[in-house]
Amino acid sequence: MIAEPTEVLQDEASLQIDENGNLRHLLTLKGLDKTLLIDILDDAERYLTEPGRVPASSRALAGRSVGNLFFEPSTRTRASFDLAGKRLGADVLNLDVNTSSRKKGESILDTIYTLEAMQVDIMVVRDASAGVPAYIARHVQPHVSILNAGESDVSHPTQGLLDVLTIRQHKGSFGNLAVAIVGDIRHSRVAMSVSQALTTLGVGELRLISPPVLAPDPGSVPGAKIVDTLEEGLADADVVMALRIQRERIGNLDGIPGIDEYFANYGVSQESLKLAKRDSIVMHPGPMNRGIEIEGVVADGPQSVITQQVTNGVAVRMAVLDRVTKSLAARH
Ligand code: ASP
């Protein structure tokens, strides 16, 4: 990957809110106002229809263009941003990054300026380097919005939103919940974003479970309890979220347990799930590695809400696209 210039970053949380207090970019859930967070979840609910029905749609983004720039692999996030844009009537451009000029040495800003010149209004960016979405947001024209679709191991805000929406649908409120996130917490942007959203929503208890080698830095998730056994982490949990080992972000795999040992100690299985509440829900952001962090029968079982997370992903992305478009329209 081509190195981008580094610079002292302005506060991302304030950068994403416009002068009228509306969401202009979505860069992080850290510091996002609770009311705004709940408003986005409520908006997303309105985009959900019964399975088998024609999906919700509107012309809210008619005439607008959305560019998907994914400089890292993606299945769910990219497909759902694509569908979300189209269901709101936008023109959606999926840039083929393997053949894009960035491969030829063009800086990411030059790619962005090129799309800006084509009047692309919203750019959805996934990148392996920390700080890229905010860096771009700081350089675009006032009529352009940037949405973070996965930033290194730092942040994945729309995933965090769809996760808390799914929890709210099943559990109602957050104050009495024990949420357990199991797996490679250290390298997971999903763990970071969902933890930030849960903290803002006042979750009762947040437990992060992993082998010590995959544990987050102490203090990186304020208020969370960091544990290294399922016995402690899953006990009476209301929500169990499994995460895969992010091998692509781990330089040296030494010290990481082998598959059988990992599954036995950290796998969400029929056996280990007995530790959690009987009505607990099981979540996973995908892609799943069945038989490593989650047992296939659990992923497909009655407590699993994994496909619902995917459905909610489209609705949440529609809500976010609509919101940032309103901010752009109000200012121009
Ligand atoms: N799809 C999620 C992400 O992009 C989770 C994962 O890759 O494991 O972070």
Side-chain angles (χ1 to χ4, degrees):
M1 217 205 74
I2 296 147
E4 303 296 345
T6 50
E7 53 184 15
V8 179
L9 300 182
Q10 178 200 329
D11 174 16
E12 289 184 358
S14 62
L15 181 64
Q16 60 191 352
I17 304 300
D18 73 13
E19 57 280 16
N20 304 315
N22 298 319
L23 189 73
R24 179 188 161 190
H25 306 290
L26 181 60
L27 306 173
T28 179
L29 297 183
K30 195 172 174 183
L32 197 75
D33 182 73
K34 182 175 178 179
T35 313
L36 179 52
L37 208 158
I38 292 172
D39 285 348
I40 297 172
L41 302 187
D42 293 344
D43 288 352
E45 293 272 12
R46 288 192 270 276
Y47 289 118
L48 290 167
T49 51
E50 291 298 312
R53 291 277 171 88
V54 174
S57 64
S58 88
R59 302 289 298 154
L61 266 71
R64 299 283 184 179
S65 302
V66 178
N68 280 331
L69 289 88
F70 281 65
F71 297 101
E72 262 196 336
S74 174
T75 305
R76 279 150 291 271
T77 306
R78 181 171 156 146
S80 59
F81 264 115
D82 190 359
L83 285 174
K86 285 174 178 154
R87 287 179 187 168
L88 293 172
D91 294 322
V92 182
L93 181 72
N94 286 299
L95 210 76
D96 184 352
V97 294
N98 291 319
T99 55
S100 75
S101 296
R102 197 163 171 216
K103 281 261 167 191
K104 298 184 196 165
E106 183 173 82
S107 81
I108 193 159
L109 281 188
D110 284 329
T111 306
I112 297 289
Y113 295 153
T114 301
L115 295 179
E116 245 181 23
M118 294 178 192
Q119 292 175 290
V120 174
D121 307 279
I122 300 169
M123 310 207 195
V124 180
V125 180
R126 168 170 288 195
D127 202 277
S129 301
V132 165
Y135 170 72
I136 297 171
R138 228 169 272 115
H139 287 86
V140 289
Q141 298 288 321
H143 54 269
V144 173
S145 278
I146 301 301
L147 304 183
N148 178 351
E151 172 192 1
S152 182
D153 56 5
V154 176
S155 175
H156 193 351
T158 54
Q159 178 73 44
L161 289 170
L162 75 88
D163 288 337
V164 290
L165 175 61
T166 310
I167 295 171
R168 191 176 78 165
Q169 286 166 341
H170 286 270
K171 301 292 173 190
S173 57
F174 295 87
N176 293 322
L177 295 185
V179 176
I181 308 181
V182 194
D184 177 6
I185 310 290
R186 185 174 193 84
H187 303 99
S188 173
R189 54 196 177 203
V190 176
M192 293 305 122
S193 284
V194 71
S195 297
Q196 288 157 1
L198 285 167
T199 303
T200 303
L201 293 168
V203 72
E205 216 188 315
L206 177 60
R207 307 174 194 156
L208 305 177
I209 314 155
S210 66
V213 66
L214 299 176
D217 286 332
S220 60
V221 187
K225 191 171 166 195
I226 298 174
V227 301
D228 62 7
T229 66
L230 287 182
E231 286 68 25
E232 201 181 345
L234 293 194
D236 291 324
D238 299 279
V239 176
V240 178
M241 180 184 292
L243 300 173
R244 85 185 160 90
I245 301 176
Q246 316 265 306
R247 292 184 184 277
E248 70 276 27
R249 295 190 214 293
I250 307 175
N252 179 359
L253 292 168
D254 289 354
I256 299 197
I259 290 177
D260 293 344
E261 189 189 339
Y262 188 88
F263 181 70
N265 292 315
Y266 297 99
V268 177
S269 61
Q270 278 181 311
E271 200 46 43
S272 63
L273 198 53
K274 287 182 188 154
L275 294 162
K277 286 201 181 132
R278 284 170 75 96
D279 66 350
S280 58
I281 55 169
V282 174
M283 306 177 71
H284 194 305
M288 281 188 277
N289 294 133
R290 291 169 184 253
I292 304 180
E293 75 271 9
I294 189 165
E295 194 175 12
V297 286
V298 171
D300 302 328
Q303 287 166 267
S304 170
V305 296
I306 295 169
T307 54
Q308 192 179 346
Q309 287 175 267
V310 177
T311 304
N312 286 338
V314 181
V316 155
R317 288 166 182 128
M318 287 173 82
V320 170
L321 285 170
D322 190 22
R323 229 156 230 281
V324 296
T325 304
K326 288 198 176 104
S327 152
L328 297 180
R331 289 178 301 115
H332 287 90

